[in-house]
PDB file of all heavy atoms in Angstrom:
ATOM      1  N   TRP A  15      56.843  65.453  22.117  1.00 98.00           N
ATOM      2  CA  TRP A  15      55.752  64.869  21.313  1.00 98.00           C
ATOM      3  C   TRP A  15      54.968  66.037  20.643  1.00 98.00           C
ATOM      4  O   TRP A  15      55.088  67.210  21.039  1.00 98.00           O
ATOM      5  CB  TRP A  15      54.775  64.101  22.171  1.00 98.00           C
ATOM      6  CG  TRP A  15      53.985  64.749  23.140  1.00 98.00           C
ATOM      7  CD1 TRP A  15      52.769  65.203  23.013  1.00 98.00           C
ATOM      8  CD2 TRP A  15      54.475  64.983  24.482  1.00 98.00           C
ATOM      9  NE1 TRP A  15      52.330  65.917  24.223  1.00 98.00           N
ATOM     10  CE2 TRP A  15      53.306  65.691  25.254  1.00 98.00           C
ATOM     11  CE3 TRP A  15      55.503  64.607  25.200  1.00 98.00           C
ATOM     12  CZ2 TRP A  15      53.451  66.194  26.543  1.00 98.00           C
ATOM     13  CZ3 TRP A  15      55.625  65.130  26.560  1.00 98.00           C
ATOM     14  CH2 TRP A  15      54.548  65.875  27.141  1.00 98.00           C
ATOM     15  N   VAL A  44      44.778  62.145  11.902  1.00 98.00           N
ATOM     16  CA  VAL A  44      43.756  63.322  11.588  1.00 98.00           C
ATOM     17  C   VAL A  44      42.739  62.750  10.459  1.00 98.00           C
ATOM     18  O   VAL A  44      41.921  63.536  10.056  1.00 98.00           O
ATOM     19  CB  VAL A  44      44.573  64.525  10.869  1.00 98.00           C
ATOM     20  CG1 VAL A  44      45.549  65.114  12.006  1.00 98.00           C
ATOM     21  CG2 VAL A  44      45.305  64.183   9.648  1.00 98.00           C
ATOM     22  N   ALA A  88      51.844  64.930  31.352  1.00 98.00           N
ATOM     23  CA  ALA A  88      50.943  65.571  30.435  1.00 98.00           C
ATOM     24  C   ALA A  88      49.519  65.432  31.018  1.00 98.00           C
ATOM     25  O   ALA A  88      48.581  65.856  30.174  1.00 98.00           O
ATOM     26  CB  ALA A  88      51.024  64.782  29.044  1.00 98.00           C
ATOM     27  N   ASP A 123      51.552  45.117  14.396  1.00 98.00           N
ATOM     28  CA  ASP A 123      52.712  44.242  13.984  1.00 98.00           C
ATOM     29  C   ASP A 123      53.759  44.258  15.073  1.00 98.00           C
ATOM     30  O   ASP A 123      54.890  44.456  14.781  1.00 98.00           O
ATOM     31  CB  ASP A 123      53.092  44.577  12.565  1.00 98.00           C
ATOM     32  CG  ASP A 123      53.846  43.301  11.882  1.00 98.00           C
ATOM     33  OD1 ASP A 123      53.452  42.116  12.286  1.00 98.00           O
ATOM     34  OD2 ASP A 123      54.453  43.437  10.839  1.00 98.00           O
ATOM     35  N   ASP A 127      57.674  38.158  21.161  1.00 98.00           N
ATOM     36  CA  ASP A 127      58.403  37.095  21.547  1.00 98.00           C
ATOM     37  C   ASP A 127      59.909  37.389  21.468  1.00 98.00           C
ATOM     38  O   ASP A 127      60.175  38.209  20.420  1.00 98.00           O
ATOM     39  CB  ASP A 127      58.234  35.787  20.822  1.00 98.00           C
ATOM     40  CG  ASP A 127      56.749  35.470  20.881  1.00 98.00           C
ATOM     41  OD1 ASP A 127      56.345  35.228  21.937  1.00 98.00           O
ATOM     42  OD2 ASP A 127      56.047  35.451  19.765  1.00 98.00           O
ATOM     43  N   GLY A 152      81.306  51.431  13.575  1.00 97.00           N
ATOM     44  CA  GLY A 152      81.089  51.376  12.083  1.00 97.00           C
ATOM     45  C   GLY A 152      80.002  50.444  11.604  1.00 97.00           C
ATOM     46  O   GLY A 152      79.473  50.505  10.503  1.00 97.00           O
ATOM     47  N   HIS A 164      64.370  55.116   3.107  1.00 95.00           N
ATOM     48  CA  HIS A 164      63.125  55.394   3.804  1.00 95.00           C
ATOM     49  C   HIS A 164      63.231  55.137   5.203  1.00 95.00           C
ATOM     50  O   HIS A 164      62.966  56.140   6.073  1.00 95.00           O
ATOM     51  CB  HIS A 164      61.963  54.516   3.263  1.00 95.00           C
ATOM     52  CG  HIS A 164      60.544  54.783   3.992  1.00 95.00           C
ATOM     53  ND1 HIS A 164      60.173  54.265   5.111  1.00 95.00           N
ATOM     54  CD2 HIS A 164      59.639  55.786   3.465  1.00 95.00           C
ATOM     55  CE1 HIS A 164      59.045  54.796   5.327  1.00 95.00           C
ATOM     56  NE2 HIS A 164      58.649  55.610   4.491  1.00 95.00           N
ATOM     57  N   PRO A 202      40.591  45.923  26.733  1.00 97.00           N
ATOM     58  CA  PRO A 202      40.468  45.616  25.364  1.00 97.00           C
ATOM     59  C   PRO A 202      41.746  45.756  24.509  1.00 97.00           C
ATOM     60  O   PRO A 202      42.456  46.707  24.646  1.00 97.00           O
ATOM     61  CB  PRO A 202      39.507  46.532  24.794  1.00 97.00           C
ATOM     62  CG  PRO A 202      38.710  46.983  26.123  1.00 97.00           C
ATOM     63  CD  PRO A 202      39.824  47.135  27.151  1.00 97.00           C
ATOM     64  N   ALA A 204      43.676  44.706  20.570  1.00 98.00           N
ATOM     65  CA  ALA A 204      43.666  44.316  19.222  1.00 98.00           C
ATOM     66  C   ALA A 204      45.053  44.247  18.642  1.00 98.00           C
ATOM     67  O   ALA A 204      45.968  44.999  19.085  1.00 98.00           O
ATOM     68  CB  ALA A 204      42.751  45.292  18.410  1.00 98.00           C
ATOM     69  N   MET A 238      50.393  51.436   8.671  1.00 98.00           N
ATOM     70  CA  MET A 238      49.796  52.823   8.704  1.00 98.00           C
ATOM     71  C   MET A 238      50.292  53.577   7.443  1.00 98.00           C
ATOM     72  O   MET A 238      49.577  54.504   7.003  1.00 98.00           O
ATOM     73  CB  MET A 238      49.971  53.512   9.881  1.00 98.00           C
ATOM     74  CG  MET A 238      51.509  54.066  10.085  1.00 98.00           C
ATOM     75  SD  MET A 238      52.723  52.611  10.323  1.00 98.00           S
ATOM     76  CE  MET A 238      52.101  51.989  11.899  1.00 98.00           C
ATOM     77  N   ASN A 241      49.046  51.095   3.761  1.00 98.00           N
ATOM     78  CA  ASN A 241      47.599  51.112   3.464  1.00 98.00           C
ATOM     79  C   ASN A 241      46.961  51.862   4.541  1.00 98.00           C
ATOM     80  O   ASN A 241      46.194  51.328   5.366  1.00 98.00           O
ATOM     81  CB  ASN A 241      47.072  49.629   3.416  1.00 98.00           C
ATOM     82  CG  ASN A 241      45.743  49.574   2.728  1.00 98.00           C
ATOM     83  OD1 ASN A 241      45.043  50.449   2.794  1.00 98.00           O
ATOM     84  ND2 ASN A 241      45.365  48.204   2.370  1.00 98.00           N
ATOM     85  N   ALA A 252      38.465  48.738  15.973  1.00 96.00           N
ATOM     86  CA  ALA A 252      38.884  48.170  17.226  1.00 96.00           C
ATOM     87  C   ALA A 252      38.466  49.152  18.415  1.00 96.00           C
ATOM     88  O   ALA A 252      38.428  48.709  19.656  1.00 96.00           O
ATOM     89  CB  ALA A 252      40.258  48.006  17.236  1.00 96.00           C
TER      90      ALA A 252
END
Side-chain angles (χ1 to χ4, degrees):
W15 65 94
V44 300
D123 211 17
D127 306 297
H164 184 273
M238 73 294 292
N241 193 343

